[in-house]
Amino acid sequence: MGRNVRVAVATLNQWAMDFQGNLERILLSIGIAALNGASYRTGPELEVSAYSCEDHFHEPDTYLHCWEVLLEVVQSSSKNGMLIDVGMPVQHRNVAYNCRVAFYNGRLVLIRPKMIMCDDGNYRETRWFSPWTKERQTEDYQLPRFVAVALGQETVPIGDAVIATLDTCLGYEICEELWNPRSKHIDMSLAGVEIIVNGSGSYMQLRKAHITTDLIRNASYKAGGAYLFSNLRGCDGQRVYFNGCSAVALNGAIIARGRQFALNEVEVTVTSFDLQDVRAYRGALRSRSSLAASAPTYPRVQLALELASSDRDMSWPSSPVGEWQYHRPEEEIALGPACWLWDYLRRSGQGGFFLPLSGGVDSSSTAVIVCSMCRLVVEAFERGDRQVRDDCRKILGDPEYVPASASELCGRLLFTCYMGTENSSRETRQRAATLAAQLGSTHLDIGIDGAVGALLAIFQRATGMRPQFRAAGGCARQNLALQNIQARTRMVLAYLFAQLMLWVRQRPGGLLVLGSANVDEALRGYMTKYDCSSADVNPIGGISKVDLRRFLAYAQTEFGLPVVAEIVAAPPTAELEPLVDGAIAQTDEEDMGLTYQELSEFGRLRKQAFCGPFSMFCKLATAVAEDGTTRDPREVADRVKHFFRCYAINRHKMTVLTPSYHAESYSPDDNRFDHRPFLYRANWTWQFRSIDEELERLAKKQPPRPDADDEQERPVQVDAGGGATTSAGASNVASEPLFFANSGAGGGVGMSSAASAHQLVHQSSGLFLAGAGGAGGSDGPGQLTVGLTKSHSSGGYGRMHSSVMGKIKDRTGVPV
């Protein structure tokens, strides 16, 4: 006869320090598990306090309140006959641990501390917790007095142990222990543990979802047995969005899974499996059985419980759910930041969003993400989600509100404003208005020349001088100051309108100001300090321009937004310098001296491959040589040097970067993800000299190459991924890949660590070309054709851009 075990893994959207709300969500998940006949329920990491309490983990109050919550959970579930564990911080002998706490029928069974801490990426666990280092050892934990009195229990085992029921054995590894090379599930499985449980706090990153799934599947495939993975989901008060994807794997197959993105706060995934399947699978792995015969044992906490009790319903067979369908990056951008924004909005107590909408790719992407959020809210209403309904009505101050459509809801939650000047073009003004109409946002079109003129008049009265644009004879400093005053005026007005627009509409509260600077511009420092990049939150601050263009192409068809085609096709421009005959004379890529495609590749090499200026040049120069392109290594050197000069001069801006949704592995976020100085020697004397010496060595080995700038200009096609091709398919600077031939059309970069930097370079090059050959035609959805001269395309780089003066949007500076 089979021995079916019915288990439940909970996905919870917890909130740091919200003990009442966290308690309610934990109790709801236990209730759902019990209603579905589960004999065991597990949840995510640190679910009692929430994961992102950070330095609150140093406060004794945090531990006190966690024990108070745990006591309520234990007492409320003392008669449901279910084995339960929750994640919470525990102090033992004056040392803080990140723990799983297991209990059954009103009695604590085991406290299992985390044994391997995570300190990379956004994680800083050893700042607050210590790892349990006593392998296969336990100690007695003295319960707090109020807990001991209430439960009639003085102590509970704490340490590296497993739970032995009457019919199986269950053990824990916590989050990072799955990712570590010495994962604990290997030793536990060899010691006879049949059910491995992992409570996790894993956050979302573009193209990362498959990693967790592969680890879970492979853990159960190699060791045999059941692997239960429970993860947090949502924004619990920080920049990250926890990734969901809770799952159950059996012998290498995923048999149940939860969603990655959702607005509901509690999701419980329930499934069953047969213990005999575990034993048969392991018995057939002869090499594993030989190792297990001599494996050391774990301390076992004996529990008089049958997880597969014979009086339970035996009608739930286990079966694989089929191949896991991962979201494409465009879908991850549509869903992840939208859910993050909803969590932030409903928990901030504000009444909506205010967005300066320029009609460009970045601000349009932010607006479309809010539209996606509204679509998710309407879908939740239709499913009868009470929490979403109540939150939405509270935000709008309308206790009877029911959305008629996503567009109607967008009109109540999103206020957009085009802040034009004499340097703004008719095209961007029209695109902004059209997009707002298609989204349904409440839109304003204002001119800010009066405010800018008033500020310049103050300066003129104080100094007797008035700055001029470069086109009127001004120097670089004057030109830059005149651009920055426009940008900063927009920020001041954005906050004024955000505070008062709901007053105008006779609604309570205020609006959150949304930022719309992408990760590449932050990396390069191509933003004015305290302009519209300064906001309350930024949903696209961790996303590259290339991915944003693809996302908009996806949204064009998925959300029905025809104007997006024009937005993606237009060359990115700040529109801060005077127009020439009514046409745009300034483009972002010309201003930066680098293309967005190049910035993405430089960003990955700098962060993922840990490259400084010299090693970045060497890897790119090697790739150029191996791929047989006509690129001159001197050009590669110029661009690498230009990037690092601008990066060094502008790094100070990262100290005030708007809190952004974390999505990209090369984010320059100074708050915690990318810890580096913000004051550099900008000419990198030693490093750049090393590059020059390497250039001399290469020059002796290679014949001179023709200069790509000698080729004539041709109209180009721009696709949604940011790649450019000539209309005739001929090769020039704009149409070639950045440094080397395309290694695979449409390929994504799924690397979260350095791995092979050369492989990283090759993979990233495939991101930016739409067709297999990267030339000609409109080969796919969202691929847009526009006639641009090379100065408007990614080929508009010249020697003049090596000068930092006037190209950094804030400080001009001089070499040090």
Side-chain angles (χ1 to χ4, degrees):
M1 182 181 75
R3 303 291 295 171
N4 270 10
V5 177
R6 190 140 176 94
V7 298
V9 291
T11 304
L12 303 181
N13 188 336
Q14 302 294 69
W15 191 7
M17 305 301 290
D18 178 24
F19 293 101
Q20 182 62 42
N22 294 347
L23 168 63
E24 292 170 358
R25 288 181 282 271
I26 291 170
L27 291 176
L28 178 57
S29 71
I30 292 172
I32 294 172
L35 285 174
N36 284 273
S39 59
Y40 173 69
R41 176 269 183 202
T42 189
E45 187 173 12
L46 294 171
E47 59 191 293
V48 173
S49 60
Y51 187 88
S52 298
C53 297
E54 301 189 333
D55 280 0
H56 288 292
F57 286 126
H58 291 315
E59 301 169 1
D61 281 4
T62 302
Y63 297 87
L64 170 65
H65 298 324
C66 284
W67 279 108
E68 291 169 343
V69 169
L70 179 67
L71 180 59
E72 287 205 32
V73 174
V74 173
Q75 290 178 327
S76 67
S77 56
S78 62
K79 297 181 180 179
N80 61 17
M82 193 182 338
L83 176 61
I84 301 168
D85 62 66
V86 297
M88 61 179 268
V90 173
Q91 279 191 329
H92 175 58
R93 298 178 183 174
N94 302 322
V95 179
Y97 297 102
N98 174 349
C99 299
R100 302 303 302 175
V101 181
F103 52 93
Y104 171 67
N105 279 0
R107 187 170 182 84
L108 299 183
V109 176
L110 173 66
I111 299 176
R112 202 290 199 167
K114 191 171 185 177
M115 301 181 69
I116 301 173
M117 299 290 104
C118 186
D119 282 320
D120 54 15
N122 284 291
Y123 298 108
R124 295 291 179 272
E125 291 183 351
T126 55
R127 180 180 175 92
W128 310 293
F129 302 115
S130 297
W132 181 270
T133 58
K134 303 169 185 176
E135 292 192 1
R136 298 183 179 87
Q137 296 180 45
T138 63
E139 297 171 355
D140 286 337
Y141 179 84
Q142 183 67 48
L143 294 173
R145 285 312 303 159
F146 72 96
V147 177
V149 171
L151 299 182
Q153 178 181 356
E154 292 295 327
T155 63
V156 61
I158 181 172
D160 186 17
V162 298
I163 298 174
T165 67
L166 297 177
D167 53 358
T168 188
C169 189
L170 178 147
Y172 296 98
E173 60 180 11
I174 303 174
C175 197
E176 180 68 9
E177 296 171 26
L178 171 63
W179 274 259
N180 191 270
R182 295 187 60 186
S183 295
K184 299 300 177 183
H185 66 262
I186 298 294
D187 291 337
M188 285 191 287
S189 66
L190 293 174
V193 176
E194 296 178 326
I195 302 172
I196 309 292
V197 182
N198 188 319
S200 187
S202 177
Y203 58 79
M204 179 270 177
Q205 204 164 270
L206 287 174
R207 306 174 178 90
K208 173 191 170 184
H210 73 95
I211 297 175
T212 304
T213 306
D214 290 346
L215 286 170
I216 299 166
R217 182 187 289 118
N218 292 337
S220 67
Y221 176 81
K222 180 185 290 187
Y227 200 100
L228 282 56
F229 177 82
S230 180
N231 196 20
L232 293 162
R233 183 170 60 210
C235 167
D236 73 345
Q238 259 293 356
R239 291 159 171 78
V240 299
Y241 179 87
F242 290 105
N243 205 37
C245 297
S246 298
V248 178
L250 180 69
N251 298 338
I254 301 293
I255 62 172
R257 67 170 187 244
R259 287 175 291 175
Q260 184 176 5
F261 306 108
L263 299 187
N264 56 316
E265 293 188 324
V266 177
E267 180 183 58
V268 180
T269 303
V270 183
T271 191
S272 300
F273 56 87
D274 192 332
L275 293 173
Q276 298 289 38
D277 290 340
V278 174
R279 293 157 189 167
Y281 182 88
R282 287 183 172 177
L285 299 176
R286 300 315 305 153
S287 61
R288 179 216 164 269
S289 296
S290 299
L291 289 173
S294 59
T297 61
Y298 278 77
R300 293 193 172 208
V301 179
Q302 300 295 327
L303 189 60
L305 162 69
E306 287 187 74
L307 286 182
S309 179
S310 58
D311 62 354
R312 295 186 184 274
D313 188 344
M314 304 298 292
S315 63
W316 294 302
S318 61
S319 59
V321 296
E323 186 64 27
W324 190 303
Q325 297 298 316
Y326 300 105
H327 291 294
R328 291 179 293 158
E330 302 93 311
E331 295 171 317
E332 290 185 308
I333 295 171
L335 296 172
C339 294
W340 184 78
L341 278 181
W342 176 249
D343 282 344
Y344 199 98
L345 176 62
R346 68 193 179 94
R347 289 172 170 171
S348 69
Q350 299 302 297
F353 301 110
F354 184 87
L355 172 66
L357 183 62
S358 68
V361 166
D362 294 339
S363 62
S364 297
S365 295
T366 299
V368 174
I369 286 170
V370 176
C371 167
S372 177
M373 183 199 79
C374 293
R375 291 164 60 95
L376 292 173
V377 171
V378 171
E379 291 172 4
F381 260 88
E382 293 172 350
R383 290 195 309 270
D385 189 314
R386 294 184 180 182
Q387 184 65 54
V388 172
R389 179 199 65 189
D390 293 346
D391 286 337
C392 187
R393 290 173 175 176
K394 181 180 178 181
I395 291 166
L396 297 174
D398 183 352
E400 304 297 327
Y401 176 74
V402 176
S405 65
S407 177
E408 186 268 337
L409 177 59
C410 192
R412 291 176 178 248
L413 291 180
L414 178 61
F415 293 75
T416 54
C417 182
Y418 184 86
M419 301 181 182
T421 68
E422 61 186 359
N423 303 319
S424 303
S425 66
R426 292 188 302 270
E427 290 81 5
T428 56
R429 186 185 303 269
Q430 183 59 45
R431 287 196 292 269
T434 303
L435 178 63
Q438 292 178 5
L439 294 174
S441 68
T442 299
H443 187 65
L444 298 171
D445 187 329
I446 64 173
I448 66 170
D449 287 321
V452 173
L455 292 169
L456 292 174
I458 294 172
F459 178 85
Q460 186 173 10
R461 284 196 297 272
T463 65
M465 301 180 71
R466 189 177 184 93
Q468 300 293 325
F469 281 106
R470 181 172 18 228
C475 67
R477 284 182 289 176
Q478 297 174 59
N479 194 67
L480 193 58
L482 289 174
Q483 294 183 65
N484 287 339
I485 193 62
Q486 298 171 69
R488 292 185 173 119
T489 300
R490 289 180 173 130
M491 184 273 288
V492 173
L493 288 172
Y495 273 96
L496 175 67
F497 277 83
Q499 287 184 302
L500 295 178
M501 281 306 296
L502 293 186
W503 169 70
V504 172
R505 299 291 290 268
Q506 298 185 342
R507 279 176 48 192
L511 301 172
L512 292 168
V513 179
L514 293 180
S516 54
N518 63 65
V519 72
D520 297 323
E521 289 170 349
L523 177 68
R524 162 62 172 75
Y526 185 68
M527 59 178 65
T528 298
K529 204 172 186 178
Y530 303 116
D531 69 347
C532 283
S533 64
S534 296
D536 292 313
V537 288
N538 181 359
I540 69 164
I543 305 173
S544 71
K545 178 78 86 172
V546 170
D547 281 333
L548 289 175
R549 290 166 68 92
R550 287 182 167 177
F551 159 66
L552 285 179
Y554 162 84
Q556 175 188 345
T557 55
E558 198 69 21
F559 298 166
L561 303 171
V563 73
V564 163
E566 300 175 30
I567 294 170
V568 174
T573 174
E575 291 194 328
L576 295 173
E577 295 192 52
L579 302 173
V580 176
D581 297 328
I584 296 170
Q586 175 189 30
T587 64
D588 290 349
E589 290 187 336
E590 265 193 302
D591 259 9
M592 293 190 296
L594 294 165
T595 68
Y596 286 105
Q597 177 178 341
E598 289 169 328
L599 284 172
S600 290
E601 299 192 13
F602 289 159
R604 290 189 175 92
L605 287 170
R606 181 196 71 101
K607 179 66 175 178
Q608 288 181 288
F610 310 106
C611 288
F614 177 70
S615 57
M616 184 181 293
F617 165 73
C618 290
K619 292 182 189 305
L620 291 173
T622 300
V624 166
E626 290 183 357
D627 287 349
T629 68
T630 59
R631 294 283 182 181
D632 189 335
R634 292 171 299 175
E635 182 182 356
V636 177
D638 285 346
R639 297 200 187 192
V640 169
K641 290 178 181 180
H642 180 60
F643 166 74
F644 275 100
R645 285 192 196 102
C646 296
Y647 165 78
I649 291 173
N650 288 284
R651 180 66 189 183
H652 66 97
K653 299 177 184 178
M654 297 306 95
T655 64
V656 295
L657 195 68
T658 296
S660 302
Y661 175 89
H662 177 83
E664 186 53 78
S665 58
Y666 65 91
S667 168
D669 176 18
D670 182 70
N671 175 263
R672 83 165 30 203
F673 187 74
D674 190 45
H675 288 199
R676 298 171 193 250
F678 60 87
L679 180 62
Y680 283 90
R681 186 184 182 102
N683 59 2
W684 302 84
T685 307
W686 193 281
Q687 294 91 331
F688 286 1
R689 185 167 63 241
S690 298
I691 293 176
D692 293 340
E693 291 170 355
E694 182 67 13
L695 275 173
E696 292 178 7
R697 190 186 68 81
L698 291 174
K700 295 176 181 178
K701 295 172 59 178
Q702 298 176 350
R705 298 171 183 242
D707 189 346
D709 286 338
D710 292 340
E711 299 186 30
Q712 67 181 46
E713 297 180 359
R714 299 182 179 90
V716 298
Q717 296 176 338
V718 178
D719 63 53
T725 61
T726 62
S727 58
S731 173
N732 68 7
V733 174
S735 65
E736 289 180 1
L738 178 58
F739 293 119
F740 33 75
N742 183 21
S743 61
V749 177
M751 305 179 77
S752 58
S753 59
S756 164
H758 187 62
Q759 179 186 5
L760 182 69
V761 172
H762 279 259
Q763 284 193 335
S764 62
S765 71
L767 277 171
F768 312 109
L769 301 177
S778 211
D779 295 332
Q783 189 174 353
L784 307 164
T785 301
V786 57
L788 301 177
T789 63
K790 191 169 70 173
S791 63
H792 287 161
S793 76
S794 59
Y797 174 85
R799 294 279 179 177
M800 58 174 285
H801 294 119
S802 294
S803 169
V804 177
M805 295 288 285
K807 299 297 177 184
I808 58 177
K809 301 281 285 179
D810 195 6
R811 293 182 182 173
T812 47
V814 294
V816 178

